[in-house]
Amino acid sequence: MRILRIEQLLHFYEDMLRIRFFEEKIRDELYPNKQMRGGTHLYIGQEAVAVGALHAIEPADYVISTHRGHGHALAKGCDPMRMYAELFGRRDGYSKGKGGSMHIADKNINFLGENPVVAANIPMAAGAGLACKLLGNGRIVIDFFGEGAANNGAFHEALNMAGLWKLPVVFICENNLYAISVPVEQATAIEEIHRRADSYGMPGKRENGMDVVVVYHTVAEAVRLAREESEPSLLVFDCYRFEGHHMADQQPYRSKQEPLQMRREHDPIHLLERQILEDCLLEPDQVVDHRERIRAEIDEAAEEARKSPAPAPEEALEDIYA
Ligand SMILES: Cc1ncc(C[n+]2csc(CCOP(=O)(O)OP(=O)(O)O)c2C)c(N)n1
């Protein structure tokens, strides 16, 4: 495996911290204090997938996300202030405060958006890939979805088309072991989801999604195939969500110990931090400085978002697509 530059590892680290702190604030402060409402699905524990994958693309490339999309949005470069404003229902939010947690999109940076309809984003990614191919613009598409979505018909139709038409799309399945309360082995006929790629004439790979460097190299190779050979791929990253499916989830389907143990042994941020310290890339007090700086940035984004006004009642029917 190729060696990464120190700055790149530190960039991974900061981007993962930004996602973690953005969501810890939701979990510990904004949601309990009712400063934000509506459904929200935390990405805590899966940060290595979004960050590793999106460091392997160019800014002009497209990204399509899911209901669990804060991490993908931040890693693509969305503004945490505008994301918080959206969560607070304020006018500076990405959907002018009328969409909430699952409606963050930013066409200026080619983040084609989250999507609350499970698996609906997979055919959209194939469509975006077809557009790139027809336009010959050299761009590729990254599509994120969960292992639950990989059992939906839309997954199979879209991958078949992508394989048939050789679309420049990297399909990234984040296998976090549960679709709401359903463990993957109770819903999925095969354990090796990446083998489904064989049916659609594209390469498939399964890798450790808790290791940001592994994710980065795996996605970089798939991106090269997509860009240079217009070859789609299906990548499955083993990961785990440390929190409930959504904020109100009491998690009766798994023991209290399980997430604690996964966190202790596999937290992607701790793994990277340990590597950074072992390789003497940072001193322990510099690690603390990094964490404090990113946390201050996130706190400031939330403060700014609070200053944004609520949308006016007469705007309620604007921007409706019918
Ligand atoms: C078409 C559709 N069916 C059902 C739902 C309800 N739902 C929301 S999230 C979810 C589970 C998705 O699991 P997975 O794709 O593994 O993603 P994860 O939540 O684990 O990130 C379901 C069934 C939905 N939003 N859309």
Side-chain angles (χ1 to χ4, degrees):
M1 198 156 270
R2 283 156 293 143
I3 306 290
L4 290 173
R5 285 180 298 119
I6 295 170
E7 303 83 60
Q8 196 159 12
L9 274 184
L10 296 182
H11 208 160
F12 290 170
Y13 181 52
E14 290 194 356
D15 285 358
M16 288 166 74
L17 287 177
R18 188 170 295 108
I19 297 170
R20 179 71 57 96
F21 293 162
F22 181 91
E23 291 206 323
E24 282 181 349
K25 196 172 184 71
I26 294 175
R27 184 194 65 192
D28 300 337
E29 185 185 326
L30 306 178
Y31 218 85
N33 297 343
K34 296 195 166 46
Q35 286 169 23
M36 66 164 283
R37 290 164 193 268
T40 194
H41 306 80
L42 301 184
Y43 191 67
I44 293 176
Q46 299 180 217
E47 296 90 346
V49 182
V51 171
L54 299 191
H55 271 266
I57 63 171
E58 297 295 327
D61 293 331
Y62 295 99
V63 173
I64 305 193
S65 168
T66 66
H67 56 286
R68 199 176 300 289
H70 301 157
H72 309 140
L74 288 167
K76 181 66 170 131
C78 286
D79 177 355
M81 190 285 283
R82 291 193 62 200
M83 288 177 63
Y84 277 136
E86 188 56 43
L87 302 182
F88 297 158
R90 304 298 173 89
R91 197 188 273 160
D92 289 310
Y94 273 105
S95 295
K96 300 184 188 170
K98 294 188 272 186
S101 164
M102 289 177 276
H103 292 89
I104 310 283
D106 189 350
K107 67 178 194 278
N108 295 321
I109 57 167
N110 294 339
F111 181 63
L112 299 182
E114 302 175 297
N115 197 318
V117 183
V118 169
N121 64 340
I122 310 176
M124 286 166 64
L130 178 60
C132 291
K133 185 162 183 170
L134 292 175
L135 291 168
N137 59 17
R139 299 176 184 182
I140 63 101
V141 182
I142 298 274
D143 183 34
F144 293 102
F145 52 90
E147 84 292 338
N151 290 329
N152 183 293
F155 164 90
H156 298 276
E157 293 182 28
L159 266 77
N160 182 55
M161 278 191 173
L164 180 69
W165 290 343
K166 298 265 173 237
L167 303 180
V169 183
V170 181
F171 296 98
I172 297 185
C173 175
E174 297 184 66
N175 183 0
N176 63 12
L177 304 188
Y178 298 94
I180 309 187
S181 54
V182 183
V184 58
E185 66 275 9
Q186 287 179 26
T188 307
I190 56 170
E191 197 191 324
E192 304 279 335
I193 297 171
H194 68 285
R195 283 178 42 214
R196 290 180 175 172
D198 286 349
S199 313
Y200 305 120
M202 63 179 77
K205 252 188 165 190
R206 174 185 183 182
E207 288 289 355
N208 178 6
M210 302 306 241
D211 185 329
V212 66
V213 177
V214 168
V215 175
Y216 170 78
H217 286 301
T218 308
V219 175
E221 174 53 19
V223 166
R224 190 197 64 73
L225 275 180
R227 205 183 307 283
E228 292 176 14
E229 299 174 36
S230 202
E231 172 100 73
S233 300
L234 171 63
L235 306 178
V236 180
F237 289 110
D238 295 320
C239 52
Y240 192 81
R241 68 167 154 74
F242 291 163
E243 303 294 328
H245 172 70
H246 50 52
M247 290 298 293
D249 182 7
Q250 298 297 312
Q251 306 175 59
Y253 49 86
R254 62 186 183 186
S255 72
K256 289 223 171 345
Q257 282 314 311
E258 188 185 289
L260 296 177
Q261 188 181 346
M262 289 298 284
R263 213 180 254 264
R264 249 192 330 268
E265 294 173 7
H266 302 288
D267 185 327
I269 295 184
H270 290 169
L271 290 178
L272 181 59
E273 216 163 63
R274 203 182 309 149
Q275 190 186 334
I276 285 172
L277 288 169
E278 276 171 13
D279 295 350
C280 301
L281 303 182
L282 290 180
E283 296 296 323
D285 56 333
Q286 290 175 305
V287 164
V288 173
D289 287 350
H290 267 69
R291 295 180 78 95
E292 283 179 356
R293 185 165 49 77
I294 303 288
R295 206 182 279 285
E297 182 196 300
I298 287 298
D299 287 343
E300 198 181 310
E303 273 313 305
E304 270 306 298
R306 280 195 192 96
K307 294 182 196 152
S308 174
E314 55 273 22
E315 291 167 29
L317 298 180
E318 283 176 13
D319 306 313
I320 291 176
Y321 181 75

